[in-house]
Amino acid sequence: MNAPLPSSGVPAAPFSVLELAPVVPVVVVEDAADAVPLARALVAGGLPAIEVTLRTPAAADAIRAIAAEVPGAVVGAGTVLTPEQVTDAVAAGARFLVSPGCTDALLTAARAAGVPFLPGVSTASEVMALLERGVREMKFFPARAAGGTAYLKSLAGPLPQARFCPTGGIGPETAPEYLALPNVGCVGGSWMLPEDAVAARDWDRVERLAREAAAL
């Protein structure tokens, strides 16, 4: 069950990314000018946790703008691969970090940064290694390719202490199947951000799709 946000709309640290909303939008920002209206549409639709991937030159500016101008948004950085990106993302205003995998250096840097971190895993051994380091919340990626709900069900028995945000190949049709699992706190996806809607700056449509996702 998702925990309510405080009256400010922004959780105090420490907080769990998995408890903010059932869906974390995975956002690729090509034009930093789109960041604020896009984020406002997502927040208005009930999706406050926004993962801006570090895949474009506009990503850092997008994070900075959302953090400064969108009350209620909990903006994070995704596709974090290096300790340097950890430092830069947090400096830009990222409140949480997400990576497709994990290394010792990345985990050390994320912990030093003092913000929630969802390291990516796709095998039982990777989950066990992170549990040994005290990590309980992880990103399961790429979810569909790595075995989907069947694989996560298999992990729940021997590794019940691990909780996941599955991301990769998830849409509105399959999201409820993931969210029904006891070891899944939320899912990540981008279906509420269709390319044609973003290109047309149709933020009303984005808000409508976000509201549907938030109701899952």
Side-chain angles (χ1 to χ4, degrees):
M1 182 174 181
N2 298 111
L5 294 175
S7 58
S8 65
V10 178
F15 64 91
S16 168
V17 179
L18 274 61
E19 297 296 334
L20 295 179
V23 179
V24 176
V26 179
V27 182
V28 180
V29 179
E30 299 290 349
D31 184 345
D34 291 337
V36 168
L38 184 154
R40 284 175 175 159
L42 293 172
V43 172
L47 300 180
I50 301 170
E51 177 189 336
V52 177
T53 66
L54 303 182
R55 302 180 194 174
T56 68
D61 287 339
I63 292 171
R64 192 173 293 109
I66 294 170
E69 300 180 41
V70 186
V74 184
V75 63
T79 321
V80 178
L81 306 178
T82 67
E84 292 76 18
Q85 286 182 322
V86 168
T87 301
D88 293 345
V90 173
R95 297 286 309 279
F96 64 91
L97 305 169
V98 184
S99 69
C102 192
T103 66
D104 287 341
L106 188 60
L107 180 57
T108 298
R111 283 183 159 168
V115 299
F117 174 47
L118 295 179
V121 296
S122 60
T123 69
S125 293
E126 291 169 339
V127 175
M128 291 170 61
L130 284 170
L131 289 172
E132 284 186 354
R133 299 287 298 273
V135 178
R136 297 289 182 268
E137 298 186 347
M138 311 168 198
K139 170 180 177 175
F140 180 61
F141 175 84
R144 184 173 63 184
T149 55
Y151 194 89
L152 285 169
K153 284 179 183 177
S154 298
L155 291 179
L159 302 169
Q161 63 271 55
R163 297 182 71 224
F164 302 96
C165 173
T167 304
I170 298 174
E173 300 83 9
T174 57
E177 300 172 14
Y178 285 93
L179 293 169
L181 298 176
N183 56 350
V184 170
C186 64
V187 301
S190 57
W191 71 85
M192 71 297 300
L193 296 162
E195 289 185 9
D196 58 339
V198 175
R201 293 177 170 82
D202 187 351
W203 308 128
D204 288 341
R205 182 182 173 196
V206 170
E207 181 180 340
R208 182 174 69 254
L209 292 171
R211 186 169 290 108
E212 292 172 359
L216 291 175

